[in-house]
Amino acid sequence: MEQINPAIVIEVAPAVSLASASANLQIIDPAVSQAKFEEETKLFLNSAGLHRKRGIIVLDCSFPNIKLAFCARQIIPAPVVFAVNINYTNYDMEALSVKFINPFTFELITLQELRHNFSRKVPIGNGQMRRQNLALGLPDGTPFICLPGIREYHKHSDHSNDPWLTHRGKGGEGTLGFIVDKLHQYGIAAINGYHLPLTIPEVLLGIDLNKLPS
Amino acid sequence: MKQIRIFDEKFVSLVKKTTMNTNLQNKGNDAQGKPDHGEDNEKIITLVIVVNTTPTTVKINENAPLKAAAEKALEQTHNTGRPLSDYELKLNDQVLDMNKKVKDYGLKDGTELFLSLKAGTGGAN
């Protein structure tokens, strides 16, 4: 039986898979993620006035999270359409995580509570377009935006062939600026008013009480 | 008196003809871009281009195509690695044709334009 020389035994730490890492478990040097957080948020906050004019309001900003509310300022009264928590844990080894929250309590909300589809037009040939929903739900009901550059997209089993590392650092895709721009583009820009779905009430015959037989 | 009036009318007619010819000649010069009308061709305007939410200021000749301004903005904000065709330039949420000239859209000094990287394929099928 072959003996192992104890001098050359190397302890191997259990492999940590990026895919299995929890959203809150920082597995790369936190200084890297924090430096990127500070760089991107500083750039964003420098023009906070410009973003506010578009209806994007900063609710809170402290590493590793920035919380933003998106309002449809083009309609009156202007509603807070949705709010998000953008998380920098493991960025930019992993993409930024985008989760929908209640803008007042910061609690995570479900797809049902979001009540917004984040639609875009996609061509289907012959000059025809169809509407495509970008806000989808995970099995636990958590909503996410199904677009490359967002962590929840890249971690989804349907997109295992489109890893984040093929997008990272290319033209700003996946940066805070890119994500905020897409959330505004698909979540706010096309809103043009309130839609009140009305059902036609049941038509009843008018009755003259004086003519009613006893 | 009557003879003098006839002379006056002929003189006025002659002056009108001369003026018309001069105007026509000037119009011709304009079309050929003669140097004495060059000031219009050199008008520089300043645009604020917001690249993926980061604003940058770009000075551009109003006769230049918008893509020249967009390329400058990408360079200034260090957004490299993707061709310009992967971006959309918008004014008030309306997509602009980047091959058109700056002046074609009547853009003024300080106009805010938004240059965004197009999103990749995603969403529900």
Side-chain angles (χ1 to χ4, degrees):
Chain A
M1 191 177 160
E2 196 177 319
Q3 287 200 337
I4 300 169
N5 183 348
I8 55 166
V9 170
I10 302 166
E11 272 192 30
V12 180
V16 179
S17 157
L18 281 177
S20 63
S22 150
N24 295 321
L25 178 64
Q26 180 81 37
I27 56 169
I28 67 162
D29 186 348
V32 174
S33 297
Q34 186 153 9
K36 291 186 180 291
F37 172 84
E38 280 163 12
E39 182 189 347
E40 292 193 4
T41 53
K42 186 180 170 189
L43 211 57
F44 185 78
L45 295 174
N46 278 347
S47 46
L50 185 145
H51 305 312
R52 196 179 58 251
K53 279 196 280 178
R54 299 176 81 200
I56 305 164
I57 298 166
V58 180
L59 300 174
D60 190 51
C61 183
S62 60
F63 180 76
N65 298 306
I66 179 166
K67 295 176 173 63
L68 303 167
F70 289 75
C71 310
R73 61 172 291 270
Q74 65 270 35
I75 62 172
I76 297 172
V80 178
V81 180
F82 63 92
V84 289
N85 181 55
I86 300 178
N87 179 274
Y88 274 75
T89 304
N90 296 322
Y91 184 69
D92 62 349
M93 182 58 77
E94 284 191 281
L96 292 176
S97 162
V98 180
K99 295 214 164 144
F100 291 91
I101 55 170
N102 179 308
F104 307 106
T105 63
F106 293 168
E107 288 169 346
L108 294 175
I109 62 168
T110 63
L111 184 62
Q112 203 174 9
E113 289 168 320
L114 178 62
R115 294 181 177 213
H116 195 34
N117 295 324
F118 289 74
S119 304
R120 74 169 169 187
K121 288 186 292 188
V122 288
I124 52 170
N126 299 328
Q128 303 277 313
M129 306 292 266
R130 76 172 174 91
R131 191 170 149 172
Q132 183 192 45
N133 292 341
L134 296 174
L136 305 178
L138 294 170
D140 65 356
T142 307
F144 75 101
I145 294 294
C146 190
L147 278 181
I150 293 175
R151 189 185 304 173
E152 285 72 20
Y153 165 92
H154 293 291
K155 283 197 166 183
H156 198 280
S157 55
D158 286 357
H159 305 294
S160 54
N161 60 344
D162 189 15
W164 156 244
L165 295 179
T166 61
H167 295 263
R168 186 177 75 162
K170 287 184 180 170
E173 190 171 13
T175 58
L176 176 65
F178 169 83
I179 289 173
V180 170
D181 199 49
K182 294 305 133 202
L183 290 171
H184 181 271
Q185 188 178 346
Y186 298 120
I188 298 293
I191 295 175
N192 66 355
Y194 288 94
H195 174 62
L196 299 174
L198 296 175
T199 51
I200 298 171
E202 194 180 346
V203 179
L204 299 171
L205 294 172
I207 302 290
D208 184 344
L209 292 173
N210 295 323
K211 291 183 180 174
L212 274 180
S214 54
Chain B
M1 286 294 286
K2 198 177 179 182
Q3 278 183 339
I4 291 171
R5 198 179 300 135
I6 289 166
F7 173 76
D8 278 349
E9 282 171 5
K10 278 185 178 175
F11 179 74
V12 169
S13 169
L14 184 67
V15 169
K16 275 184 180 172
K17 272 187 180 175
T18 312
T19 311
M20 277 174 66
N21 287 340
T22 311
N23 285 343
L24 283 172
Q25 201 177 346
N26 283 344
K27 280 184 182 173
N29 288 345
D30 281 346
Q32 289 163 31
K34 288 279 168 93
D36 55 336
H37 294 277
E39 276 181 21
D40 290 344
N41 295 335
E42 294 303 322
K43 191 172 176 189
I44 304 291
I45 67 162
T46 305
L47 300 172
V48 178
I49 302 187
V50 184
V51 186
N52 290 336
T53 72
T54 303
T56 188
T57 303
V58 172
K59 286 186 187 297
I60 191 93
N61 188 310
E62 67 169 3
N63 284 309
L66 276 169
K67 64 183 175 188
E71 274 164 356
K72 254 187 178 178
L74 287 179
E75 192 186 318
Q76 287 172 196
T77 53
H78 313 292
N79 278 292
T80 53
R82 298 289 282 262
L84 187 60
S85 56
D86 283 358
Y87 289 83
E88 276 179 337
L89 188 65
K90 290 182 181 178
L91 171 66
N92 298 328
D93 293 320
Q94 192 178 5
V95 180
L96 305 181
D97 179 353
M98 285 195 265
N99 290 314
K100 286 196 171 178
K101 291 178 181 179
V102 173
K103 71 175 181 185
D104 290 341
Y105 287 104
L107 304 179
K108 308 275 184 238
D109 264 331
T111 301
E112 277 174 4
L113 302 176
F114 291 84
L115 186 61
S116 310
L117 184 63
K118 290 179 196 168
T121 309
N125 290 322

mmCIF file of all heavy atoms in Angstrom, chain B residues 66-105:
data_model
loop_
_atom_site.group_PDB
_atom_site.id
_atom_site.type_symbol
_atom_site.label_atom_id
_atom_site.label_comp_id
_atom_site.label_asym_id
_atom_site.label_seq_id
_atom_site.Cartn_x
_atom_site.Cartn_y
_atom_site.Cartn_z
ATOM 1 N N LEU B 66 -24.542 63.427 -36.172
ATOM 2 C CA LEU B 66 -24.703 63.176 -34.731
ATOM 3 C C LEU B 66 -23.778 62.071 -34.234
ATOM 4 O O LEU B 66 -23.382 62.048 -33.079
ATOM 5 C CB LEU B 66 -26.155 62.791 -34.442
ATOM 6 C CG LEU B 66 -27.118 63.957 -34.254
ATOM 7 C CD1 LEU B 66 -28.544 63.441 -34.238
ATOM 8 C CD2 LEU B 66 -26.822 64.700 -32.961
ATOM 9 N N LYS B 67 -23.436 61.146 -35.147
ATOM 10 C CA LYS B 67 -22.582 60.035 -34.694
ATOM 11 C C LYS B 67 -21.209 60.537 -34.252
ATOM 12 O O LYS B 67 -20.580 59.916 -33.384
ATOM 13 C CB LYS B 67 -22.460 58.950 -35.766
ATOM 14 C CG LYS B 67 -21.802 59.341 -37.044
ATOM 15 C CD LYS B 67 -21.836 58.156 -37.993
ATOM 16 C CE LYS B 67 -21.281 58.554 -39.354
ATOM 17 N NZ LYS B 67 -21.480 57.498 -40.346
ATOM 18 N N ALA B 68 -20.756 61.665 -34.821
ATOM 19 C CA ALA B 68 -19.468 62.226 -34.400
ATOM 20 C C ALA B 68 -19.555 62.678 -32.944
ATOM 21 O O ALA B 68 -18.631 62.455 -32.155
ATOM 22 C CB ALA B 68 -19.088 63.394 -35.304
ATOM 23 N N ALA B 69 -20.686 63.294 -32.591
ATOM 24 C CA ALA B 69 -20.882 63.732 -31.206
ATOM 25 C C ALA B 69 -20.988 62.530 -30.280
ATOM 26 O O ALA B 69 -20.429 62.520 -29.176
ATOM 27 C CB ALA B 69 -22.142 64.587 -31.113
ATOM 28 N N ALA B 70 -21.683 61.486 -30.738
ATOM 29 C CA ALA B 70 -21.869 60.288 -29.913
ATOM 30 C C ALA B 70 -20.535 59.590 -29.669
ATOM 31 O O ALA B 70 -20.254 59.144 -28.549
ATOM 32 C CB ALA B 70 -22.847 59.341 -30.604
ATOM 33 N N GLU B 71 -19.709 59.505 -30.717
ATOM 34 C CA GLU B 71 -18.396 58.854 -30.563
ATOM 35 C C GLU B 71 -17.522 59.609 -29.569
ATOM 36 O O GLU B 71 -16.822 59.014 -28.752
ATOM 37 C CB GLU B 71 -17.704 58.733 -31.925
ATOM 38 C CG GLU B 71 -18.143 57.469 -32.655
ATOM 39 C CD GLU B 71 -17.819 57.475 -34.140
ATOM 40 O OE1 GLU B 71 -17.305 58.507 -34.635
ATOM 41 O OE2 GLU B 71 -18.111 56.464 -34.796
ATOM 42 N N LYS B 72 -17.591 60.963 -29.656
ATOM 43 C CA LYS B 72 -16.834 61.786 -28.703
ATOM 44 C C LYS B 72 -17.294 61.508 -27.283
ATOM 45 O O LYS B 72 -16.492 61.396 -26.362
ATOM 46 C CB LYS B 72 -17.078 63.276 -29.015
ATOM 47 C CG LYS B 72 -15.923 63.981 -29.682
ATOM 48 C CD LYS B 72 -16.225 65.474 -29.771
ATOM 49 C CE LYS B 72 -15.090 66.229 -30.374
ATOM 50 N NZ LYS B 72 -15.389 67.663 -30.508
ATOM 51 N N ALA B 73 -18.602 61.418 -27.106
ATOM 52 C CA ALA B 73 -19.165 61.202 -25.769
ATOM 53 C C ALA B 73 -18.728 59.853 -25.202
ATOM 54 O O ALA B 73 -18.395 59.738 -24.026
ATOM 55 C CB ALA B 73 -20.689 61.277 -25.832
ATOM 56 N N LEU B 74 -18.711 58.820 -26.051
ATOM 57 C CA LEU B 74 -18.280 57.493 -25.593
ATOM 58 C C LEU B 74 -16.817 57.520 -25.174
ATOM 59 O O LEU B 74 -16.429 56.935 -24.158
ATOM 60 C CB LEU B 74 -18.481 56.449 -26.703
ATOM 61 C CG LEU B 74 -19.917 56.028 -27.002
ATOM 62 C CD1 LEU B 74 -19.959 55.027 -28.136
ATOM 63 C CD2 LEU B 74 -20.586 55.433 -25.767
ATOM 64 N N GLU B 75 -16.017 58.236 -25.970
ATOM 65 C CA GLU B 75 -14.589 58.337 -25.675
ATOM 66 C C GLU B 75 -14.369 59.065 -24.349
ATOM 67 O O GLU B 75 -13.598 58.611 -23.501
ATOM 68 C CB GLU B 75 -13.928 59.100 -26.829
ATOM 69 C CG GLU B 75 -12.428 59.060 -26.855
ATOM 70 C CD GLU B 75 -11.891 59.971 -27.957
ATOM 71 O OE1 GLU B 75 -12.457 59.974 -29.064
ATOM 72 O OE2 GLU B 75 -10.923 60.687 -27.673
ATOM 73 N N GLN B 76 -15.088 60.161 -24.160
ATOM 74 C CA GLN B 76 -14.919 60.972 -22.949
ATOM 75 C C GLN B 76 -15.374 60.248 -21.678
ATOM 76 O O GLN B 76 -14.889 60.530 -20.599
ATOM 77 C CB GLN B 76 -15.690 62.296 -23.092
ATOM 78 C CG GLN B 76 -15.023 63.254 -24.057
ATOM 79 C CD GLN B 76 -15.842 64.490 -24.378
ATOM 80 O OE1 GLN B 76 -15.542 65.171 -25.344
ATOM 81 N NE2 GLN B 76 -16.858 64.809 -23.603
ATOM 82 N N THR B 77 -16.342 59.316 -21.833
ATOM 83 C CA THR B 77 -16.833 58.596 -20.652
ATOM 84 C C THR B 77 -16.201 57.202 -20.544
ATOM 85 O O THR B 77 -16.632 56.394 -19.717
ATOM 86 C CB THR B 77 -18.371 58.458 -20.695
ATOM 87 O OG1 THR B 77 -18.742 57.869 -21.943
ATOM 88 C CG2 THR B 77 -19.057 59.793 -20.541
ATOM 89 N N HIS B 78 -15.193 56.953 -21.373
ATOM 90 C CA HIS B 78 -14.428 55.686 -21.349
ATOM 91 C C HIS B 78 -15.324 54.467 -21.575
ATOM 92 O O HIS B 78 -15.084 53.403 -21.013
ATOM 93 C CB HIS B 78 -13.666 55.541 -20.024
ATOM 94 C CG HIS B 78 -12.913 56.782 -19.635
ATOM 95 N ND1 HIS B 78 -11.827 57.239 -20.342
ATOM 96 C CD2 HIS B 78 -13.120 57.676 -18.643
ATOM 97 C CE1 HIS B 78 -11.392 58.362 -19.793
ATOM 98 N NE2 HIS B 78 -12.166 58.660 -18.767
ATOM 99 N N ASN B 79 -16.351 54.635 -22.369
ATOM 100 C CA ASN B 79 -17.212 53.497 -22.711
ATOM 101 C C ASN B 79 -16.727 52.900 -24.023
ATOM 102 O O ASN B 79 -17.185 53.259 -25.101
ATOM 103 C CB ASN B 79 -18.670 53.943 -22.828
ATOM 104 C CG ASN B 79 -19.345 54.027 -21.488
ATOM 105 O OD1 ASN B 79 -19.572 53.031 -20.821
ATOM 106 N ND2 ASN B 79 -19.632 55.242 -21.059
ATOM 107 N N THR B 80 -15.774 52.009 -23.904
ATOM 108 C CA THR B 80 -15.193 51.413 -25.107
ATOM 109 C C THR B 80 -15.553 49.923 -25.156
ATOM 110 O O THR B 80 -16.113 49.390 -24.216
ATOM 111 C CB THR B 80 -13.660 51.560 -25.086
ATOM 112 O OG1 THR B 80 -13.190 51.033 -23.847
ATOM 113 C CG2 THR B 80 -13.239 53.012 -25.211
ATOM 114 N N GLY B 81 -15.214 49.311 -26.248
ATOM 115 C CA GLY B 81 -15.412 47.859 -26.350
ATOM 116 C C GLY B 81 -16.675 47.467 -27.079
ATOM 117 O O GLY B 81 -16.899 46.287 -27.316
ATOM 118 N N ARG B 82 -17.517 48.440 -27.404
ATOM 119 C CA ARG B 82 -18.739 48.123 -28.161
ATOM 120 C C ARG B 82 -18.849 49.140 -29.301
ATOM 121 O O ARG B 82 -18.549 50.321 -29.119
ATOM 122 C CB ARG B 82 -19.974 48.238 -27.271
ATOM 123 C CG ARG B 82 -19.993 47.269 -26.093
ATOM 124 C CD ARG B 82 -20.221 45.829 -26.516
ATOM 125 N NE ARG B 82 -21.591 45.560 -26.815
ATOM 126 C CZ ARG B 82 -22.445 44.994 -25.954
ATOM 127 N NH1 ARG B 82 -22.050 44.654 -24.747
ATOM 128 N NH2 ARG B 82 -23.675 44.746 -26.287
ATOM 129 N N PRO B 83 -19.278 48.680 -30.502
ATOM 130 C CA PRO B 83 -19.425 49.624 -31.620
ATOM 131 C C PRO B 83 -20.581 50.595 -31.383
ATOM 132 O O PRO B 83 -21.501 50.288 -30.608
ATOM 133 C CB PRO B 83 -19.712 48.707 -32.810
ATOM 134 C CG PRO B 83 -20.280 47.480 -32.217
ATOM 135 C CD PRO B 83 -19.665 47.322 -30.863
ATOM 136 N N LEU B 84 -20.520 51.727 -32.068
ATOM 137 C CA LEU B 84 -21.567 52.752 -31.901
ATOM 138 C C LEU B 84 -22.946 52.213 -32.286
ATOM 139 O O LEU B 84 -23.964 52.651 -31.754
ATOM 140 C CB LEU B 84 -21.211 53.982 -32.758
ATOM 141 C CG LEU B 84 -22.091 55.204 -32.578
ATOM 142 C CD1 LEU B 84 -22.064 55.716 -31.137
ATOM 143 C CD2 LEU B 84 -21.693 56.316 -33.534
ATOM 144 N N SER B 85 -22.956 51.221 -33.206
ATOM 145 C CA SER B 85 -24.241 50.654 -33.630
ATOM 146 C C SER B 85 -24.960 49.926 -32.485
ATOM 147 O O SER B 85 -26.146 49.631 -32.590
ATOM 148 C CB SER B 85 -24.026 49.698 -34.804
ATOM 149 O OG SER B 85 -23.090 48.706 -34.441
ATOM 150 N N ASP B 86 -24.241 49.644 -31.399
ATOM 151 C CA ASP B 86 -24.870 48.997 -30.237
ATOM 152 C C ASP B 86 -25.547 50.018 -29.319
ATOM 153 O O ASP B 86 -26.086 49.646 -28.286
ATOM 154 C CB ASP B 86 -23.830 48.228 -29.412
ATOM 155 C CG ASP B 86 -23.455 46.906 -30.059
ATOM 156 O OD1 ASP B 86 -24.028 46.588 -31.110
ATOM 157 O OD2 ASP B 86 -22.583 46.194 -29.519
ATOM 158 N N TYR B 87 -25.469 51.284 -29.698
ATOM 159 C CA TYR B 87 -26.043 52.335 -28.855
ATOM 160 C C TYR B 87 -27.214 53.011 -29.557
ATOM 161 O O TYR B 87 -27.303 53.001 -30.783
ATOM 162 C CB TYR B 87 -24.984 53.409 -28.543
ATOM 163 C CG TYR B 87 -23.898 52.941 -27.602
ATOM 164 C CD1 TYR B 87 -22.804 52.221 -28.076
ATOM 165 C CD2 TYR B 87 -23.949 53.224 -26.243
ATOM 166 C CE1 TYR B 87 -21.796 51.786 -27.216
ATOM 167 C CE2 TYR B 87 -22.947 52.800 -25.375
ATOM 168 C CZ TYR B 87 -21.879 52.086 -25.869
ATOM 169 O OH TYR B 87 -20.893 51.661 -25.023
ATOM 170 N N GLU B 88 -28.059 53.649 -28.735
ATOM 171 C CA GLU B 88 -29.172 54.464 -29.255
ATOM 172 C C GLU B 88 -29.020 55.868 -28.693
ATOM 173 O O GLU B 88 -28.726 56.026 -27.504
ATOM 174 C CB GLU B 88 -30.508 53.926 -28.740
ATOM 175 C CG GLU B 88 -31.079 52.794 -29.542
ATOM 176 C CD GLU B 88 -32.394 52.303 -28.966
ATOM 177 O OE1 GLU B 88 -32.649 52.512 -27.763
ATOM 178 O OE2 GLU B 88 -33.165 51.704 -29.706
ATOM 179 N N LEU B 89 -29.238 56.865 -29.560
ATOM 180 C CA LEU B 89 -29.184 58.253 -29.109
ATOM 181 C C LEU B 89 -30.615 58.789 -29.078
ATOM 182 O O LEU B 89 -31.346 58.670 -30.074
ATOM 183 C CB LEU B 89 -28.323 59.088 -30.073
ATOM 184 C CG LEU B 89 -28.027 60.515 -29.639
ATOM 185 C CD1 LEU B 89 -27.174 60.556 -28.366
ATOM 186 C CD2 LEU B 89 -27.306 61.282 -30.748
ATOM 187 N N LYS B 90 -31.010 59.344 -27.936
ATOM 188 C CA LYS B 90 -32.399 59.778 -27.792
ATOM 189 C C LYS B 90 -32.505 61.225 -27.357
ATOM 190 O O LYS B 90 -31.664 61.717 -26.589
ATOM 191 C CB LYS B 90 -33.115 58.916 -26.756
ATOM 192 C CG LYS B 90 -33.357 57.501 -27.206
ATOM 193 C CD LYS B 90 -34.119 56.746 -26.147
ATOM 194 C CE LYS B 90 -34.346 55.310 -26.564
ATOM 195 N NZ LYS B 90 -35.031 54.550 -25.531
ATOM 196 N N LEU B 91 -33.569 61.859 -27.831
ATOM 197 C CA LEU B 91 -33.937 63.204 -27.388
ATOM 198 C C LEU B 91 -35.384 63.090 -26.927
ATOM 199 O O LEU B 91 -36.260 62.743 -27.730
ATOM 200 C CB LEU B 91 -33.814 64.198 -28.552
ATOM 201 C CG LEU B 91 -34.356 65.599 -28.303
ATOM 202 C CD1 LEU B 91 -33.544 66.335 -27.242
ATOM 203 C CD2 LEU B 91 -34.353 66.419 -29.600
ATOM 204 N N ASN B 92 -35.611 63.340 -25.654
ATOM 205 C CA ASN B 92 -36.958 63.196 -25.082
ATOM 206 C C ASN B 92 -37.574 61.832 -25.407
ATOM 207 O O ASN B 92 -38.699 61.745 -25.903
ATOM 208 C CB ASN B 92 -37.878 64.305 -25.590
ATOM 209 C CG ASN B 92 -37.388 65.674 -25.176
ATOM 210 O OD1 ASN B 92 -36.799 65.835 -24.113
ATOM 211 N ND2 ASN B 92 -37.607 66.656 -26.043
ATOM 212 N N ASP B 93 -36.812 60.795 -25.199
ATOM 213 C CA ASP B 93 -37.246 59.410 -25.413
ATOM 214 C C ASP B 93 -37.546 59.065 -26.874
ATOM 215 O O ASP B 93 -38.148 58.037 -27.164
ATOM 216 C CB ASP B 93 -38.457 59.060 -24.530
ATOM 217 C CG ASP B 93 -38.083 59.054 -23.053
ATOM 218 O OD1 ASP B 93 -36.985 58.578 -22.732
ATOM 219 O OD2 ASP B 93 -38.884 59.534 -22.238
ATOM 220 N N GLN B 94 -37.126 59.944 -27.800
ATOM 221 C CA GLN B 94 -37.298 59.653 -29.230
ATOM 222 C C GLN B 94 -35.927 59.313 -29.823
ATOM 223 O O GLN B 94 -34.959 60.068 -29.630
ATOM 224 C CB GLN B 94 -37.893 60.868 -29.939
ATOM 225 C CG GLN B 94 -38.366 60.542 -31.325
ATOM 226 C CD GLN B 94 -39.004 61.748 -32.007
ATOM 227 O OE1 GLN B 94 -39.010 62.858 -31.480
ATOM 228 N NE2 GLN B 94 -39.522 61.531 -33.191
ATOM 229 N N VAL B 95 -35.851 58.176 -30.511
ATOM 230 C CA VAL B 95 -34.564 57.737 -31.062
ATOM 231 C C VAL B 95 -34.184 58.619 -32.256
ATOM 232 O O VAL B 95 -35.005 58.864 -33.151
ATOM 233 C CB VAL B 95 -34.624 56.252 -31.493
ATOM 234 C CG1 VAL B 95 -33.288 55.798 -32.066
ATOM 235 C CG2 VAL B 95 -34.993 55.366 -30.305
ATOM 236 N N LEU B 96 -32.941 59.106 -32.251
ATOM 237 C CA LEU B 96 -32.460 59.970 -33.334
ATOM 238 C C LEU B 96 -31.631 59.154 -34.333
ATOM 239 O O LEU B 96 -30.988 58.168 -33.947
ATOM 240 C CB LEU B 96 -31.585 61.093 -32.766
ATOM 241 C CG LEU B 96 -32.188 61.963 -31.669
ATOM 242 C CD1 LEU B 96 -31.194 63.039 -31.232
ATOM 243 C CD2 LEU B 96 -33.477 62.633 -32.142
ATOM 244 N N ASP B 97 -31.655 59.596 -35.584
ATOM 245 C CA ASP B 97 -30.832 58.983 -36.616
ATOM 246 C C ASP B 97 -29.444 59.616 -36.529
ATOM 247 O O ASP B 97 -29.278 60.797 -36.826
ATOM 248 C CB ASP B 97 -31.467 59.244 -37.991
ATOM 249 C CG ASP B 97 -30.663 58.657 -39.142
ATOM 250 O OD1 ASP B 97 -29.538 58.161 -38.887
ATOM 251 O OD2 ASP B 97 -31.144 58.700 -40.288
ATOM 252 N N MET B 98 -28.458 58.816 -36.124
ATOM 253 C CA MET B 98 -27.124 59.375 -35.889
ATOM 254 C C MET B 98 -26.388 59.750 -37.167
ATOM 255 O O MET B 98 -25.321 60.342 -37.115
ATOM 256 C CB MET B 98 -26.289 58.406 -35.039
ATOM 257 C CG MET B 98 -26.703 58.410 -33.587
ATOM 258 S SD MET B 98 -25.474 57.634 -32.515
ATOM 259 C CE MET B 98 -26.102 55.972 -32.410
ATOM 260 N N ASN B 99 -26.952 59.375 -38.334
ATOM 261 C CA ASN B 99 -26.327 59.791 -39.595
ATOM 262 C C ASN B 99 -26.760 61.197 -39.991
ATOM 263 O O ASN B 99 -26.173 61.803 -40.876
ATOM 264 C CB ASN B 99 -26.676 58.809 -40.710
ATOM 265 C CG ASN B 99 -25.984 57.476 -40.505
ATOM 266 O OD1 ASN B 99 -24.791 57.429 -40.212
ATOM 267 N ND2 ASN B 99 -26.736 56.397 -40.596
ATOM 268 N N LYS B 100 -27.790 61.705 -39.347
ATOM 269 C CA LYS B 100 -28.258 63.057 -39.659
ATOM 270 C C LYS B 100 -27.364 64.077 -38.980
ATOM 271 O O LYS B 100 -26.698 63.775 -37.993
ATOM 272 C CB LYS B 100 -29.705 63.232 -39.203
ATOM 273 C CG LYS B 100 -30.682 62.506 -40.095
ATOM 274 C CD LYS B 100 -32.088 62.997 -39.863
ATOM 275 C CE LYS B 100 -33.031 62.420 -40.909
ATOM 276 N NZ LYS B 100 -34.400 62.824 -40.705
ATOM 277 N N LYS B 101 -27.417 65.305 -39.531
ATOM 278 C CA LYS B 101 -26.575 66.362 -38.976
ATOM 279 C C LYS B 101 -27.181 66.914 -37.684
ATOM 280 O O LYS B 101 -28.396 66.835 -37.479
ATOM 281 C CB LYS B 101 -26.446 67.497 -39.988
ATOM 282 C CG LYS B 101 -25.625 67.136 -41.213
ATOM 283 C CD LYS B 101 -25.596 68.302 -42.173
ATOM 284 C CE LYS B 101 -24.795 67.958 -43.418
ATOM 285 N NZ LYS B 101 -24.775 69.071 -44.368
ATOM 286 N N VAL B 102 -26.321 67.493 -36.894
ATOM 287 C CA VAL B 102 -26.758 68.105 -35.636
ATOM 288 C C VAL B 102 -27.847 69.139 -35.908
ATOM 289 O O VAL B 102 -28.867 69.190 -35.223
ATOM 290 C CB VAL B 102 -25.549 68.752 -34.920
ATOM 291 C CG1 VAL B 102 -25.984 69.534 -33.694
ATOM 292 C CG2 VAL B 102 -24.523 67.686 -34.536
ATOM 293 N N LYS B 103 -27.651 69.939 -36.961
ATOM 294 C CA LYS B 103 -28.613 71.017 -37.232
ATOM 295 C C LYS B 103 -29.945 70.498 -37.787
ATOM 296 O O LYS B 103 -30.948 71.191 -37.732
ATOM 297 C CB LYS B 103 -28.014 72.070 -38.166
ATOM 298 C CG LYS B 103 -27.826 71.659 -39.596
ATOM 299 C CD LYS B 103 -27.344 72.858 -40.410
ATOM 300 C CE LYS B 103 -27.164 72.488 -41.862
ATOM 301 N NZ LYS B 103 -26.580 73.586 -42.640
ATOM 302 N N ASP B 104 -29.951 69.254 -38.311
ATOM 303 C CA ASP B 104 -31.198 68.692 -38.848
ATOM 304 C C ASP B 104 -32.263 68.568 -37.769
ATOM 305 O O ASP B 104 -33.461 68.554 -38.057
ATOM 306 C CB ASP B 104 -30.953 67.312 -39.471
ATOM 307 C CG ASP B 104 -30.143 67.406 -40.758
ATOM 308 O OD1 ASP B 104 -30.092 68.507 -41.324
ATOM 309 O OD2 ASP B 104 -29.560 66.385 -41.172
ATOM 310 N N TYR B 105 -31.828 68.394 -36.513
ATOM 311 C CA TYR B 105 -32.782 68.269 -35.409
ATOM 312 C C TYR B 105 -32.966 69.587 -34.666
ATOM 313 O O TYR B 105 -33.658 69.624 -33.654
ATOM 314 C CB TYR B 105 -32.325 67.178 -34.434
ATOM 315 C CG TYR B 105 -32.511 65.779 -34.981
ATOM 316 C CD1 TYR B 105 -31.435 65.036 -35.452
ATOM 317 C CD2 TYR B 105 -33.785 65.205 -35.041
ATOM 318 C CE1 TYR B 105 -31.612 63.755 -35.956
ATOM 319 C CE2 TYR B 105 -33.975 63.926 -35.543
ATOM 320 C CZ TYR B 105 -32.888 63.212 -36.000
ATOM 321 O OH TYR B 105 -33.076 61.937 -36.495
#
